[in-house]
Amino acid sequence: SLQDAFNAVAENTTIVLTENTTGDFTIAADQDVTLDLNSYTITNTSNHTIINNGTLTIKDSSEGKTGKITNSTHGKGALVNNYGGTVDIESGTLTREEATDNSWYVISNDGTMNIKGGSIINKVVKLTSSLIRNEGEMDISGGYLKHDFIAVKNDDTGKGELSTLTV
């Protein structure tokens, strides 16, 4: 399983998806992992799709860059980066999918996050939570953000910089 692969991560390990997978996954504080979506989709079961406490790079090496991390559970996100965690998003798509009473952020950041590429999309049609909540440090230097409400909510403790991106 993907969680078994995360649990077995040594220093600077790359995990390449070879099929679509469903579950709620956690990366420990002492782990350094690159997750290559490789055109496949990770869908949550009932919690946040990925909770990061360590160092995580998300990318999609496939030609079409169609790999996704999705969430459709109310009050849960596709990616939660906890305090002390570091995330670099290079490519791939993170989404909130349509579901009944489905509201929360696609990404919640309390650590350090660098969005260099990829897409972050809220597919829920009603007004919901912001696309991204930042309570840590965030640099958005590329990528595509799509939401009909607030794209980035920088809370009181959040520090960030926005540059070259499409909203």
Side-chain angles (χ1 to χ4, degrees), residues 29 46 58 66 87 96 131-132 150:
S46 61
I58 298 170
T66 56
V87 173
R96 166 155 303 291
L131 188 65
I132 299 170
I150 298 167

Side-chain angles (χ1 to χ4, degrees), residues 37 40-42 58-60 64-70 78 89-97 106-107 117-123 144:
L37 299 172
Y40 294 100
T41 299
I42 302 172
I58 298 170
K59 69 178 190 176
D60 183 352
K65 306 283 188 239
T66 56
K68 299 191 300 186
I69 300 170
T70 69
I89 300 174
E90 296 178 358
S91 55
T93 299
L94 287 85
T95 67
R96 166 155 303 291
E97 301 291 334
V106 175
I107 294 175
S119 298
I120 302 164
I121 300 170
N122 187 334
K123 295 184 178 180
Y144 173 76

Side-chain angles (χ1 to χ4, degrees), residues 90-120:
E90 296 178 358
S91 55
T93 299
L94 287 85
T95 67
R96 166 155 303 291
E97 301 291 334
E98 187 64 61
T100 305
D101 296 324
N102 183 7
S103 177
W104 210 65
Y105 316 101
V106 175
I107 294 175
S108 177
N109 178 53
D110 290 312
T112 301
M113 185 171 291
N114 301 296
I115 301 174
K116 303 171 184 176
S119 298
I120 302 164

Side-chain angles (χ1 to χ4, degrees), residues 15 70 89 157 159:
I15 297 171
T70 69
I89 300 174
T157 59
K159 298 176 185 175

Side-chain angles (χ1 to χ4, degrees), residues 42-53:
I42 302 172
T43 304
N44 80 302
T45 302
S46 61
N47 198 355
H48 304 296
T49 312
I50 296 178
I51 298 172
N52 180 58
N53 298 295

